Structures are given as C-alpha cells and as structure tokens.
Amino acid sequence: MARANGGSMQVVGIFDRDVLIADRSLTPMNGDAVVVALDGQLTCKILDLKRGRLLSPMANTSRYRYGKELLVEGVVKVSVRNHRPV
C-alpha cells in the first residue's frame, strides 16, 4: 500500500492522498498504473513498455524515460479515495 501525493494521476481517477493498493504478483503490462521506484523515489505513473517510459496522464506534466534504475514495486489494483481533507 502507498499514499498518492500530488494530482498528476487525476485523469485516471487517482487523487492526492488516495491510498493505492499495488499488487506485486501481477506482471506489469503496457498501460498499467504502476508504483515504481525511480531514482530512489516512489511514484505512480502509467507504464509505456513499447517506448520504455513512464507517462503522466496530465497534459502539462513530464514523461520519464527509464533505464536500469527503475523498479516496478507493483501494479495498482485498487485506489481508495480520501474524502476528508487533512
């Protein structure tokens, strides 16, 4: 489990402070929302296996190319919405 931080995944229904349940037993497929360790930081992005990059569904955010330093921690199977502001 991990907590989402930021709004880059809102287009696919993952909002700031949502709880993500990532399944490590699933084989990541093209287009999956995944939790990854990228340069030592956990992030949630869309996996683009065909082009070897991570995508953010928001139009104004970056696309990340990855190499050996990417570790897929799990495929996001469920997100639990946080309805109460902090």
Side-chain angles (χ1 to χ4, degrees):
M1 291 187 349
R3 186 170 299 274
N5 184 10
S8 69
M9 296 290 285
Q10 288 182 19
V11 173
V12 295
I14 298 173
F15 294 85
D16 188 39
R17 309 276 306 145
D18 284 357
V19 174
L20 306 178
I21 299 173
D23 190 337
R24 290 182 173 191
S25 70
L26 296 176
T27 301
M29 296 173 37
N30 193 58
D32 278 342
V34 291
V35 174
V36 299
L38 180 63
D39 296 329
Q41 298 278 342
L42 285 180
T43 188
C44 179
K45 298 294 178 211
I46 303 297
L47 186 62
D48 182 355
L49 289 173
K50 294 177 183 177
R51 294 185 181 102
R53 61 185 182 173
L54 298 171
L55 304 174
S56 177
M58 299 293 284
N60 62 348
T61 55
S62 301
R63 293 186 167 116
Y64 305 93
R65 289 239 177 247
Y66 61 82
K68 295 178 183 176
E69 66 277 350
L70 175 85
L71 174 64
V72 177
E73 295 290 345
V75 176
V76 177
K77 199 168 177 180
V78 176
S79 64
V80 180
R81 180 75 28 84
N82 179 38
H83 292 276
R84 187 173 220 189
V86 197

